[in-house]
Amino acid sequence: MRLLVVEDNKDLAAWLGKALRQAQYAIDIAHDGEDAEHMLKVAEYSAMILDLALPKLDGLTLLKRLRQSGNKLPVIILTANASLDGRVAGLDSGADDYLAKPFEIAELEARIRAVVRRGQDRASSEITVGNLRFSGGTRQFFVADEPLQLTPREYAVLEQLVMKLGNTVSKAALSESVFGFDDEADPSAIEIYVHRLRKKLEGSSVQIATLRGLGYLLRHVQ
Protein backbone atom coordinates (compact mmCIF):
# COMPACT_ATOMS: atom_id res chain seq x y z
CA MET A 1 0.00 0.00 0.00
CA ARG A 2 1.09 3.53 -0.73
CA LEU A 3 0.49 6.10 2.01
CA LEU A 4 0.75 9.88 2.08
CA VAL A 5 2.12 11.34 5.32
CA VAL A 6 1.38 15.06 5.72
CA GLU A 7 3.38 16.44 8.64
CA ASP A 8 5.22 19.77 8.93
CA ASN A 9 7.56 18.54 11.69
CA LYS A 10 10.35 17.15 9.53
CA ASP A 11 11.88 14.99 12.27
CA LEU A 12 8.53 13.38 13.07
CA ALA A 13 7.75 12.95 9.36
CA ALA A 14 11.11 11.26 8.77
CA TRP A 15 10.57 8.94 11.75
CA LEU A 16 7.07 8.07 10.54
CA GLY A 17 8.31 7.46 7.01
CA LYS A 18 11.08 5.14 8.21
CA ALA A 19 8.81 3.20 10.56
CA LEU A 20 6.05 2.73 7.99
CA ARG A 21 8.50 1.70 5.26
CA GLN A 22 9.81 -0.97 7.63
CA ALA A 23 6.18 -2.10 7.93
CA GLN A 24 6.18 -2.61 4.14
CA TYR A 25 4.32 0.51 3.05
CA ALA A 26 5.40 2.78 0.20
CA ILE A 27 5.53 6.30 1.66
CA ASP A 28 5.33 9.82 0.27
CA ILE A 29 5.80 12.78 2.60
CA ALA A 30 4.47 16.34 2.29
CA HIS A 31 5.40 19.09 4.76
CA ASP A 32 2.61 21.53 3.90
CA GLY A 33 -0.98 21.42 2.76
CA GLU A 34 -0.37 22.77 -0.73
CA ASP A 35 2.21 20.10 -1.58
CA ALA A 36 -0.11 17.44 -0.18
CA GLU A 37 -3.02 18.69 -2.28
CA HIS A 38 -0.87 18.49 -5.42
CA MET A 39 0.35 14.97 -4.59
CA LEU A 40 -3.23 13.80 -4.03
CA LYS A 41 -4.08 14.94 -7.55
CA VAL A 42 -1.23 13.09 -9.29
CA ALA A 43 -0.90 9.85 -7.29
CA GLU A 44 -3.19 7.18 -5.89
CA TYR A 45 -2.95 6.34 -2.19
CA SER A 46 -4.44 3.74 0.11
CA ALA A 47 -4.66 6.19 3.03
CA MET A 48 -3.45 9.59 4.23
CA ILE A 49 -1.93 10.38 7.64
CA LEU A 50 -2.74 14.05 8.19
CA ASP A 51 -1.50 16.61 10.69
CA LEU A 52 -3.82 19.59 11.18
CA ALA A 53 -1.38 22.41 11.95
CA LEU A 54 0.15 22.76 8.48
CA PRO A 55 1.69 25.78 6.73
CA LYS A 56 0.25 27.22 3.49
CA LEU A 57 -2.96 25.15 3.73
CA ASP A 58 -4.17 23.79 7.06
CA GLY A 59 -5.15 20.16 7.49
CA LEU A 60 -8.89 20.72 8.01
CA THR A 61 -9.15 22.84 4.86
CA LEU A 62 -7.22 20.22 2.89
CA LEU A 63 -9.53 17.50 4.20
CA LYS A 64 -12.68 19.47 3.40
CA ARG A 65 -11.47 20.12 -0.16
CA LEU A 66 -10.65 16.43 -0.57
CA ARG A 67 -14.16 15.39 0.47
CA GLN A 68 -15.82 18.13 -1.58
CA SER A 69 -14.06 16.75 -4.66
CA GLY A 70 -15.67 13.35 -4.00
CA ASN A 71 -12.43 11.66 -2.95
CA LYS A 72 -13.15 8.96 -0.33
CA LEU A 73 -9.50 8.28 0.54
CA PRO A 74 -9.23 6.99 4.14
CA VAL A 75 -7.76 9.72 6.35
CA ILE A 76 -6.29 9.43 9.85
CA ILE A 77 -5.70 12.73 11.64
CA LEU A 78 -2.61 13.07 13.81
CA THR A 79 -2.60 16.09 16.09
CA ALA A 80 -1.51 17.39 19.49
CA ASN A 81 -5.03 18.78 19.93
CA ALA A 82 -6.78 15.93 21.70
CA SER A 83 -9.72 18.00 22.91
CA LEU A 84 -13.28 16.87 22.26
CA ASP A 85 -13.93 19.91 20.06
CA GLY A 86 -10.81 19.16 18.03
CA ARG A 87 -11.80 15.53 17.48
CA VAL A 88 -15.33 16.49 16.52
CA ALA A 89 -14.08 19.11 14.04
CA GLY A 90 -11.78 16.59 12.38
CA LEU A 91 -14.39 13.86 12.13
CA ASP A 92 -17.05 16.28 10.91
CA SER A 93 -14.66 17.43 8.18
CA GLY A 94 -14.46 13.89 6.83
CA ALA A 95 -11.70 12.12 8.77
CA ASP A 96 -12.03 8.36 9.24
CA ASP A 97 -10.02 8.18 12.45
CA TYR A 98 -8.19 10.38 14.92
CA LEU A 99 -4.97 9.74 16.84
CA ALA A 100 -3.51 12.17 19.38
CA LYS A 101 0.23 12.79 19.70
CA PRO A 102 2.26 11.22 21.21
CA PHE A 103 1.31 7.78 19.93
CA GLU A 104 2.75 4.31 19.46
CA ILE A 105 3.58 3.28 15.89
CA ALA A 106 1.90 -0.11 16.45
CA GLU A 107 -1.40 1.63 17.19
CA LEU A 108 -1.07 3.81 14.08
CA GLU A 109 -0.39 0.72 11.94
CA ALA A 110 -3.48 -1.00 13.38
CA ARG A 111 -5.61 2.06 12.62
CA ILE A 112 -4.22 2.22 9.07
CA ARG A 113 -5.16 -1.41 8.46
CA ALA A 114 -8.65 -0.77 9.86
CA VAL A 115 -9.46 2.32 7.77
CA VAL A 116 -8.07 0.74 4.60
CA ARG A 117 -10.23 -2.35 5.12
CA ARG A 118 -13.29 -0.18 5.68
CA GLY A 119 -12.42 1.92 2.63
CA GLN A 120 -12.24 -1.19 0.47
CA ASP A 121 -15.60 -2.31 1.85
CA ARG A 122 -14.37 -5.81 2.66
CA ALA A 123 -16.40 -7.64 5.26
CA SER A 124 -13.59 -10.08 5.95
CA SER A 125 -10.02 -9.25 6.90
CA GLU A 126 -8.81 -12.42 5.16
CA ILE A 127 -8.55 -13.08 1.44
CA THR A 128 -7.93 -16.58 0.11
CA VAL A 129 -6.90 -17.64 -3.39
CA GLY A 130 -6.28 -21.36 -3.72
CA ASN A 131 -3.91 -22.17 -0.86
CA LEU A 132 -2.60 -18.58 -0.67
CA ARG A 133 -4.05 -16.66 2.26
CA PHE A 134 -3.66 -12.98 3.07
CA SER A 135 -4.45 -11.84 6.61
CA GLY A 136 -5.53 -8.20 6.58
CA GLY A 137 -5.23 -8.01 10.35
CA THR A 138 -1.54 -8.88 10.42
CA ARG A 139 -0.72 -8.06 6.77
CA GLN A 140 0.91 -11.47 6.33
CA PHE A 141 0.79 -13.99 3.50
CA PHE A 142 0.59 -17.76 4.01
CA VAL A 143 0.86 -20.66 1.57
CA ALA A 144 -0.74 -23.83 2.93
CA ASP A 145 -0.67 -22.09 6.35
CA GLU A 146 3.10 -21.56 6.16
CA PRO A 147 4.30 -17.92 6.29
CA LEU A 148 5.52 -16.65 2.91
CA GLN A 149 8.84 -14.85 3.23
CA LEU A 150 8.88 -11.74 1.04
CA THR A 151 10.99 -8.61 0.67
CA PRO A 152 9.09 -5.33 1.22
CA ARG A 153 8.70 -4.69 -2.51
CA GLU A 154 7.77 -8.26 -3.36
CA TYR A 155 5.18 -7.94 -0.61
CA ALA A 156 3.85 -4.65 -2.06
CA VAL A 157 3.40 -6.21 -5.51
CA LEU A 158 1.63 -9.33 -4.20
CA GLU A 159 -0.55 -7.28 -1.86
CA GLN A 160 -1.71 -5.12 -4.75
CA LEU A 161 -2.52 -8.20 -6.84
CA VAL A 162 -4.49 -9.73 -3.98
CA MET A 163 -6.40 -6.53 -3.19
CA LYS A 164 -7.35 -6.27 -6.89
CA LEU A 165 -8.26 -9.95 -7.05
CA GLY A 166 -10.20 -10.80 -10.22
CA ASN A 167 -8.87 -7.75 -12.05
CA THR A 168 -5.84 -7.21 -14.22
CA VAL A 169 -3.33 -4.83 -12.62
CA SER A 170 -1.18 -2.77 -14.96
CA LYS A 171 2.57 -2.48 -14.53
CA ALA A 172 2.12 1.26 -13.94
CA ALA A 173 -0.36 0.61 -11.10
CA LEU A 174 2.01 -1.88 -9.50
CA SER A 175 4.87 0.60 -9.80
CA GLU A 176 2.77 3.27 -8.07
CA SER A 177 2.04 0.92 -5.19
CA VAL A 178 5.73 0.04 -4.76
CA PHE A 179 7.60 3.30 -5.34
CA GLY A 180 7.18 6.73 -3.78
CA PHE A 181 8.06 10.04 -5.42
CA ASP A 182 11.57 9.96 -3.94
CA ASP A 183 12.37 6.43 -5.13
CA GLU A 184 14.34 5.76 -8.28
CA ALA A 185 12.19 3.24 -10.13
CA ASP A 186 13.86 1.05 -12.74
CA PRO A 187 11.36 0.46 -15.59
CA SER A 188 12.09 -3.27 -15.42
CA ALA A 189 11.79 -3.51 -11.62
CA ILE A 190 8.20 -4.76 -11.57
CA GLU A 191 9.08 -7.57 -13.98
CA ILE A 192 11.90 -8.58 -11.62
CA TYR A 193 9.62 -8.60 -8.56
CA VAL A 194 6.96 -10.60 -10.41
CA HIS A 195 9.62 -13.11 -11.50
CA ARG A 196 10.80 -13.52 -7.88
CA LEU A 197 7.22 -13.92 -6.66
CA ARG A 198 6.56 -16.63 -9.22
CA LYS A 199 9.59 -18.53 -7.92
CA LYS A 200 8.36 -18.21 -4.33
CA LEU A 201 4.84 -19.31 -5.30
CA GLU A 202 6.06 -22.43 -7.12
CA GLY A 203 4.27 -25.46 -5.73
CA SER A 204 1.29 -23.40 -4.59
CA SER A 205 -2.12 -23.38 -6.29
CA VAL A 206 -1.89 -19.75 -7.41
CA GLN A 207 -0.25 -18.18 -10.42
CA ILE A 208 0.63 -14.67 -11.55
CA ALA A 209 -0.44 -14.57 -15.18
CA THR A 210 0.85 -12.00 -17.66
CA LEU A 211 -1.79 -10.53 -19.96
CA ARG A 212 0.26 -8.99 -22.74
CA GLY A 213 -0.29 -5.27 -23.06
CA LEU A 214 -2.58 -5.19 -20.00
CA GLY A 215 -0.66 -6.26 -16.93
CA TYR A 216 -0.77 -9.06 -14.37
CA LEU A 217 -3.56 -11.18 -12.89
CA LEU A 218 -3.44 -13.37 -9.78
CA ARG A 219 -5.46 -16.53 -10.25
CA HIS A 220 -6.15 -19.96 -8.81
CA VAL A 221 -4.85 -22.90 -10.79
CA GLN A 222 -5.96 -26.50 -10.35
Side-chain angles (χ1 to χ4, degrees), residues 129 165 205-211 217-221:
V129 193
L165 188 61
S205 61
V206 295
Q207 178 188 74
I208 301 174
T210 300
L211 302 182
L217 176 68
L218 185 68
R219 63 189 182 189
H220 178 212
V221 292

Side-chain angles (χ1 to χ4, degrees), residues 137-158:
T138 61
R139 297 186 70 230
Q140 286 185 298
F141 284 99
F142 300 86
V143 172
D145 293 326
E146 291 294 325
L148 187 60
Q149 301 302 319
L150 303 171
T151 68
R153 285 179 173 166
E154 290 168 358
Y155 176 97
V157 170
L158 187 56

Side-chain angles (χ1 to χ4, degrees), residues 44-59:
E44 183 177 344
Y45 297 99
S46 296
M48 175 167 64
I49 315 302
L50 177 65
D51 185 31
L52 294 183
L54 298 171
K56 298 185 181 180
L57 182 68
D58 68 88

Side-chain angles (χ1 to χ4, degrees), residues 24-98:
Q24 301 183 328
Y25 293 100
I27 302 297
D28 287 328
I29 295 174
H31 297 299
D32 64 69
E34 287 186 357
D35 280 352
E37 189 170 45
H38 171 72
M39 294 163 81
L40 287 165
K41 290 177 180 177
V42 299
E44 183 177 344
Y45 297 99
S46 296
M48 175 167 64
I49 315 302
L50 177 65
D51 185 31
L52 294 183
L54 298 171
K56 298 185 181 180
L57 182 68
D58 68 88
L60 281 183
T61 301
L62 173 64
L63 180 55
K64 288 176 182 177
R65 289 185 183 181
L66 184 74
R67 296 304 186 228
Q68 287 167 358
S69 71
N71 192 321
K72 297 180 180 180
L73 175 73
V75 175
I76 299 174
I77 288 178
L78 296 183
T79 183
N81 179 8
S83 69
L84 175 61
D85 288 345
R87 294 197 302 273
V88 169
L91 295 170
D92 282 348
S93 297
D96 297 273
D97 204 348
Y98 202 104

Side-chain angles (χ1 to χ4, degrees), residues 116-125 127 162-165:
V116 169
R117 283 200 304 271
R118 292 200 298 268
Q120 291 163 340
D121 196 26
R122 290 186 182 272
S124 171
S125 62
I127 302 171
V162 164
M163 299 309 287
K164 302 290 186 181
L165 188 61

Side-chain angles (χ1 to χ4, degrees), residues 79-196:
T79 183
N81 179 8
S83 69
L84 175 61
D85 288 345
R87 294 197 302 273
V88 169
L91 295 170
D92 282 348
S93 297
D96 297 273
D97 204 348
Y98 202 104
L99 190 58
K101 302 173 184 176
F103 57 87
E104 296 293 332
I105 192 67
E107 182 179 4
L108 175 59
E109 287 180 38
R111 289 174 182 262
I112 291 169
R113 292 193 296 268
V115 299
V116 169
R117 283 200 304 271
R118 292 200 298 268
Q120 291 163 340
D121 196 26
R122 290 186 182 272
S124 171
S125 62
E126 287 200 350
I127 302 171
T128 301
V129 193
N131 62 357
L132 175 69
R133 177 168 58 89
F134 173 67
S135 170
T138 61
R139 297 186 70 230
Q140 286 185 298
F141 284 99
F142 300 86
V143 172
D145 293 326
E146 291 294 325
L148 187 60
Q149 301 302 319
L150 303 171
T151 68
R153 285 179 173 166
E154 290 168 358
Y155 176 97
V157 170
L158 187 56
E159 182 181 48
Q160 186 75 352
L161 290 170
V162 164
M163 299 309 287
K164 302 290 186 181
L165 188 61
N167 297 293
T168 303
V169 185
S170 70
K171 190 183 296 186
L174 288 175
S175 185
E176 274 205 0
S177 72
V178 172
F179 300 107
F181 282 116
D182 295 332
D183 294 323
E184 293 185 9
D186 186 322
S188 64
I190 296 301
E191 295 175 12
I192 294 171
Y193 298 137
V194 168
H195 173 75
R196 292 176 181 172

